[in-house]
Amino acid sequence: DELSLAALPACDTQAIIDDLADVYPQLIPAANVLETSLNNMNTVVHPLPVLLNAGRIESGEKFRHYFDGITPAVGDVVEQMDQERVAVGRAYGLDILSLRDAYVHYYHCQAERMSDLCHMAQAHASIMAPAVLDSRLVVEDVPMGLVPIAELGRAAGVPTPIMDAVITLCGALVKRDFRKEGRTLESLGIAGLDRDSLLAKL
């Protein structure tokens, strides 16, 4: 097992890993906090399946988030949105792990379709879909995950049309403006920085 860690500023990362080595020997250094943030897979496997299964959730149906909610079509859209996340990372010079590669790396799963990969990870077999639409899978992962990724993409000229649609529709679903309340580049204090200036700040 391994867990990437980055400090702010990144020059302190190794010292922190060394300090924690006895307690957390699985820590490995990441390039910066942008890498650890963009490598959060929850942003792609949580909100979109909730959005596309909203009718089932609202009806009170009990079903498994990964094994039932991520059907072949839903899985295909999840993977397309994941490609946007990876592209944003690459625009900032980061080697971001794709969701597909994460399943191979962490769960040793191999399959052609994303839905099959999601169904092969036994760690996810018993995870149920949320009982309400405004669960943390939406109200945390959209404003704190998808919004900053989409904003970083916009700043770097990387289109994120699926991510943008999920942000908008999830917000409409729960009657919240996630672009206004989320982690924007302005609220993070990095608005207006070009790529090199941002990386230097990190």
Side-chain angles (χ1 to χ4, degrees), residues 11-84:
C11 58
D12 292 337
T13 297
Q14 193 57 54
I16 293 175
I17 289 177
D18 292 343
D19 286 345
L20 297 174
D22 290 343
V23 183
Y24 297 108
Q26 67 270 45
L27 293 176
I28 59 172
N32 52 45
V33 293
L34 197 57
E35 180 182 332
T36 54
S37 298
L38 286 171
N39 266 331
N40 181 353
M41 305 296 172
N42 289 346
T43 56
V44 288
V45 293
H46 283 175
L48 195 151
V50 169
L51 174 65
L52 297 181
N53 285 280
R56 300 174 76 178
I57 293 169
E58 203 166 33
S59 73
E61 179 183 346
K62 290 179 171 36
F63 63 97
R64 298 169 298 176
H65 179 80
Y66 293 90
F67 276 47
D68 302 318
I70 300 183
T71 62
V74 173
D76 288 348
V77 182
V78 164
E79 186 157 34
Q80 290 173 58
M81 189 169 75
D82 187 59
Q83 290 166 355
E84 295 176 0

Side-chain angles (χ1 to χ4, degrees), residues 6-13 31-34 92 152 184-202:
L8 184 61
C11 58
D12 292 337
T13 297
N32 52 45
V33 293
L34 197 57
Y92 290 91
L152 285 164
T184 63
L185 300 190
E186 186 175 359
S187 70
L188 292 169
I190 55 176
L193 295 181
D194 61 23
R195 174 186 179 275
D196 291 341
S197 298
L198 174 58
L199 293 177
K201 188 178 182 70
L202 299 179

